[in-house]
Every structure is written in C-alpha cells, then in structure tokens.
Amino acid sequence: MILAIDTSLGTSVAVVGGDIVTESATLDTRSHAEHIGEFIDRVITDSGLTPADVTTVVVGIGPGPFTGLRVGIAAGVAFAFGQGIPVLGISSHDAVAVGVDACTVVTDVRRRELAWTSYRNGVVVAGPGLTTEATLASDVDLTEFPEVRAGTISAAMLAAAAQQRIDRGDDLSSVAPLYLRAPDATPSNGPKRVSG
Amino acid sequence: MNEPLVLGIESSCDETGVGIVRGTTLLANVIASSMDQHAVFGGVVPEIAARAHLEALRGTLSAAVTEANIRIDDLDAIAVAAGPGLAGALMVGVGAAKALAVSLGKPLYGVNHLVGHVGADVLREDGGEIELPTVALLVSGGHTSLLLVRDLVTDVVLLGETIDDAAGEAFDKVARLLKLPYPGGPHIDRVAIDGDPNAIRFPRGLTLPKDLVNHRYDFSFSGLKTAVARYVETADAVSIPDVAASFRESVADVLTRKAVDACREHGVTRLLLGGGVAANARIRALAAERCAENGIELRVPPLALCTDNGAMIAALGAHLVARGVAPSSLDFPVDSTLPVDTVRV
Ligand SMILES: [Zn+2]
C-alpha cells in the first residue's frame, strides 16, 4: 500500500494499492501545513486501513514553491519514520507525464517563473528547468514534446508514476527538493555607514 | 498517566531540535544547527534555515529515539512548536509532527515556542515541578521577551518585548561593526574580557522616564547599535575590547534592570533566563548580582536547554498532557507571531 503526498502546487494525498485508490486534495496553494495531517488521516481511514497497512511513502519533490513543497516532504519523511518504512522521492511532474507518449509538463513556481520537464513514455528527456511565459517556446522543444500545463498534481497519479519507476528499478531514495533556485540572500559587504 | 512520554519538535529559527522527555525527566535532546550556513550573511536567512530543517529532519528524529532508548510506539504524545518564529521554518516541523502523530496514532500538541523556553526549567537535574510564579527573560537572535508566568497553562502574560531588533541580532550587528565573526554573542563576550565596560557610555534603550510610561518592560536595541556604529566610525582610536565591553554592558544593564523591576513590581521572587543570549557571561553575572541584591532566585537552565531545542517543546507537551489539556486539532496553522497567552494552539 503506497501513501503518496504532493504539495508542489496544492495539497494532494492518496493511498493506492490493490483495488484501493483514495485521494484527498485541495487547490489551495497557501495552506499545506494546515491540511497535511487531516488529509493523511482521512485517506487512510476512508480506505478502511490503518497506518500500519502503508508499506511505502512516496513524496513529490517538486519543482514547486519551496515553502509548501517542504511541508509534504517533511510529512512523508516523518510518517515513514513512524512506521519504519521507506520514503521515496520522485519529481512532481512525473505524475502528469504518466501514460503520455511525449509531453512537456509545465507548472507555475511563482515569481513569474515556470518549471518544465520534457518526457517520453514517462522518462525524463530534458529538464527540469526554469523559464518564463515569454521564453518557454524558445527554451523548450514544444513541437516534439507538447506542453501540458498542470494546475494540480494528483497524489494518486504520483503513486502510479512511482510504481512504474520502482518496477524499472530506479533509485528513488533521495527526497531532496528540486529547488532549481538558490536561496535569495546576498553575503553581507560589511555594515552600512551611519555617520555623515 | 503521571509521567507522559513525549517527543517534541522545534524548528522556529535556525536549530532543528528533537527532544524526548518522560514527565520532567530528559531522555534525549538532539539539535542540528544551520548557524554556520548563515555566517556569510551575518544573520539568519529564513530560506536557508528552512532548507536545513528539512535536511536535518530524519537524522534528528532518528538520533533522538536512539538516544532516549525508547520504542517509538510507547510515546504518549507528539509536541511541536507552532510559533512564534519564521513561518517557512515552522512549517517543516509542523508538517512533520502532524504526519508523525497520524502515523503513530498519537495526540498532537502544537505549542508556543516562548512558553517552551519556560517549560525547559522543569528538566533540571533535581527534577520536580516547575516553581511558579516566575518572571522569564527570554533573549535570543529571534526574540527578546519578558514574561510573567503564574501558571504554565492558564496564566502566561507578556510584560514586554523588543520594539525593533532582538538582543541577539544587536550582538550580531555590533560584531560585524567590530569585524568579529558570526554569531556575535560569543565573540563579543571573548574580546570584552579585556575591555572596560565603563569606557564608553552607550545609550540604554527605553529607560528614560518618558519611555517608561508606555514601555516599562519593552526593549529597543536599534539606537544602541547605531550609537556603536557612530562611535566606531568617528572615534580617533577605537579600542575593540572597550567597545565590546561597553556595548555588552548596556545590553546586560537594560535586560537585567527591567527583569528585576518586573519581579519587584509583581512581587515575584524568581527570575528564569532562557534563549541563547542567556549564555552571555556578563548578562548572567549581572542578573545574578541584581537578583541577589533583591532577594530573587535566579534560574538558568543548562546551555543546551537555553538555546532553541526540542526537549523544551517536549517538556511543555508533557506538562499539558499531565494537566489533562486536550490535544490540538490536526488542522492548526503555524503562527509566526503567536501570542504568549496561547500556550497550546
Ligand atoms: Zn527561542
């Protein structure tokens, strides 16, 4: 039984396994910390399961706005720690590319930037990268890999993508976020003068 | 359940802390700090702190459970700092705590970071209940607050706080002026040993009679910082030890004077120091001196319980459990300005 969590856009949590697919999601992009606990609790309970039935946790590691993204990853790590089970990380864009021959997944990462990843049959062929609305078409080959603009990431689809990659034997052990941007901070050049 | 076993998570600033207590007994206190990563910036960078929390999360959880030598299923509750602090940093701890609570099927307590500093006092060698009422002076790079605590659950009052910089920030900024490394506190302490604390009379923020009308227990360090900068820029010959000692004396004087004043006004004979700045040698010494003169008992937890840590959050959580306080609902938000009278969100 996989517990999948994605907070790269809204908050989406799912339990997937056997004939069970239970998902809880919101489009709200600013309340991940509020929703995360209830959603995990709800999908497990509504599936008639207990936390001990979960055997693997999968988290979407972005790209996405950092503050919310970290909530889902932290939750996935902690849930897995509580059960002594593995936590796996895959790109949140993987969830959108499942079952599509060729595509470029594009999501909004705020500050007028877009994140993109190009896929062929669920395998990354270019990206992830950052671009803008104005430069997307020149930065990315949208002819061979047509744009799929995603406003949400489904945790159930994330679980499906993870299952495919587990079956392929990929190493998914890193849950480090795909930040794609360095922190906004500039080293200090010494104090400013205060006297005239 | 007289002695609840509680795991506490702290991520309000630049320390990732996981602590485990059984009632008032400390079982584990594991801290990962991102302090070194902030050094080149001269102060805590929130995004860097938040990234570091996530990186440290699994390791600190695991080390704490190992150190406490408990079975994680035996925990009675999870506690987490819900505020005040840096929102993005708090969210890492809160997201983790919620999921851990659901995973283990245990109640969750979102608690106040500042009241946690007061709660740390129960984790003394000699154990026992926290002795109240007390005035608490909580001073760090993130906060400078004076609290009156008559009951840890029902009666915590904010007497005053900084109206501009936290005291720890002032130490960092003055250290930069003096070309001393980050964090400033320990380095200013070090060079001040050879200095004369009365060499330069730096201002004492918010201590003039006109200020005391509205800000009797509030603090301000911005003017002091500017005064030090002006002095360093304009003095003919600058003695770094004298500047460091005189600056430190001003901070220590204001902090301890207001804390003792609060004890006297409210008839409280106990003063608790908390926060990383409580490690400052002169602040401790002056607090001890003035408390002794006024018949006030001074309490300073060990350094690892003064700086931000998960054990203090666990201790406050255990206190709430023992008092029969209901857990938080799972949907609470982080609150970067959580008021001290909200002990549990
Ligand atoms: Zn603190």
Side-chain angles (χ1 to χ4, degrees):
Chain A
M1 204 59 68
I2 292 178
L3 171 68
I5 300 171
D6 193 280
T7 54
S8 65
L9 289 167
T11 299
S12 181
V13 179
V15 174
V16 179
D19 50 8
I20 292 173
V21 179
T22 309
E23 190 168 50
S24 193
T26 172
L27 297 175
D28 186 344
T29 56
R30 300 203 176 260
S31 58
H32 309 89
E34 286 89 323
H35 294 303
I36 194 72
E38 285 191 315
F39 283 12
I40 296 172
D41 191 37
R42 187 184 306 161
V43 295
I44 292 171
T45 308
D46 288 358
S47 304
L49 302 171
T50 71
D53 293 318
V54 177
T55 51
T56 304
V57 178
V58 172
V59 294
I61 57 172
F66 311 150
T67 305
L69 178 61
R70 277 189 288 263
V71 171
I73 300 176
V77 167
F79 185 96
F81 178 76
Q83 288 298 324
I85 58 176
V87 54
L88 308 178
I90 64 170
S91 166
S92 301
H93 286 183
D94 289 6
V96 183
V98 172
V100 183
D101 296 341
C103 69
T104 296
V105 180
V106 179
T107 54
D108 185 347
V109 289
R110 297 210 189 122
R111 302 192 204 172
R112 296 180 184 162
E113 283 191 305
L114 302 172
W116 62 272
T117 316
S118 296
Y119 292 85
R120 177 172 280 124
N121 296 322
V123 178
V124 177
V125 291
L130 291 179
T131 185
T132 63
E133 212 61 75
T135 53
L136 174 63
S138 54
D139 282 356
V140 184
D141 179 359
L142 296 178
T143 315
E144 194 172 350
F145 303 96
E147 177 183 341
V148 179
R149 185 71 63 110
T152 62
I153 301 292
S154 155
M157 294 305 288
L158 191 80
Q163 190 59 61
Q164 289 183 358
R165 295 194 57 185
I166 292 167
D167 295 344
R168 285 208 300 264
D170 291 355
D171 176 8
L172 308 178
S173 59
S174 171
V175 295
L178 293 169
Y179 283 121
L180 307 184
R181 266 200 295 248
D184 275 339
T186 40
S188 75
N189 298 315
K192 292 191 223 47
R193 284 190 67 85
V194 296
S195 54
Chain B
M1 196 158 54
N2 287 332
E3 293 275 84
L5 184 64
V6 178
L7 180 147
I9 299 176
E10 153 63 35
S11 70
S12 65
C13 191
D14 61 342
E15 332 267 6
T16 315
V18 180
I20 299 174
V21 306
R22 191 185 298 280
T24 59
T25 306
L26 177 65
L27 301 183
N29 186 22
V30 176
I31 299 166
S33 176
S34 59
M35 187 193 287
D36 293 348
Q37 295 178 54
H38 304 286
V40 297
F41 304 105
V44 173
V45 179
E47 174 61 21
I48 291 176
R51 289 185 181 198
H53 285 308
L54 184 58
E55 282 166 31
L57 178 63
R58 187 159 29 179
T60 44
L61 278 171
S62 165
V65 170
T66 303
E67 185 176 310
N69 195 22
I70 56 150
R71 276 166 30 94
I72 196 167
D73 293 325
D74 292 338
L75 286 169
D76 292 305
I78 310 295
V80 64
L86 304 168
L90 287 164
M91 279 184 214
V92 176
V94 167
K98 287 182 175 182
L100 185 60
V102 172
S103 181
L104 297 171
K106 307 295 182 184
L108 175 66
Y109 290 80
V111 304
N112 189 299
H113 169 88
L114 286 175
V115 183
H117 276 297
V118 183
D121 190 43
V122 302
L123 300 172
R124 284 167 291 123
E125 288 285 296
D126 49 349
E129 282 304 297
I130 186 164
E131 290 175 48
L132 298 172
T134 187
V135 167
L137 175 63
L138 308 177
V139 193
S140 76
H143 46 73
T144 305
S145 308
L146 200 54
L147 273 54
L148 172 59
V149 185
R150 290 202 173 89
D151 183 290
L152 213 44
V153 178
T154 59
D155 195 354
V156 182
V157 178
L158 181 71
L159 297 176
E161 62 189 337
T162 182
I163 61 168
D164 41 57
D165 295 347
E169 271 181 283
F171 272 94
D172 292 338
K173 288 173 178 171
V174 167
R176 274 171 60 192
L177 286 169
L178 301 180
K179 300 192 165 47
L180 298 171
Y182 175 87
H187 293 286
I188 285 182
D189 239 11
R190 175 172 56 78
V191 300
I193 291 171
D194 302 319
D196 174 3
N198 302 311
I200 310 142
R201 177 73 192 178
F202 286 128
R204 266 64 171 159
L206 298 182
T207 55
L208 297 173
K210 67 177 170 61
D211 297 325
L212 292 178
V213 177
N214 289 318
H215 294 291
R216 182 164 174 181
Y217 299 122
D218 288 328
F219 303 98
S220 167
F221 299 104
S222 172
L224 169 61
K225 175 195 68 191
T226 306
V228 175
R230 185 168 288 119
Y231 178 85
V232 170
E233 285 167 20
T234 56
D236 293 334
V238 173
S239 157
I240 290 184
D242 282 353
V243 174
S246 300
F247 160 75
R248 187 180 67 161
E249 193 65 14
S250 169
V251 177
D253 180 26
V254 175
L255 289 175
T256 58
R257 198 194 305 182
K258 293 201 176 209
V260 168
D261 182 29
C263 289
R264 289 170 56 101
E265 190 206 351
H266 294 281
V268 171
T269 57
R270 224 169 271 110
L271 173 63
L272 172 70
L273 296 191
V277 178
N280 186 279
R282 182 57 188 155
I283 292 170
R284 289 168 88 124
L286 196 56
E289 191 181 302
R290 289 179 172 171
C291 282
E293 282 167 12
N294 289 280
I296 296 165
E297 179 195 0
L298 178 68
R299 313 178 73 100
V300 190
L303 182 59
L305 293 171
C306 266
T307 51
D308 292 345
N309 67 85
M312 70 186 199
I313 302 301
L316 179 54
H319 185 80
L320 296 176
V321 173
R323 290 275 295 270
V325 174
S328 305
S329 76
L330 261 183
D331 63 350
F332 67 83
V334 307
D335 184 347
S336 58
T337 59
L338 187 67
V340 297
D341 55 5
T342 303
V343 175
R344 185 227 64 186
V345 296

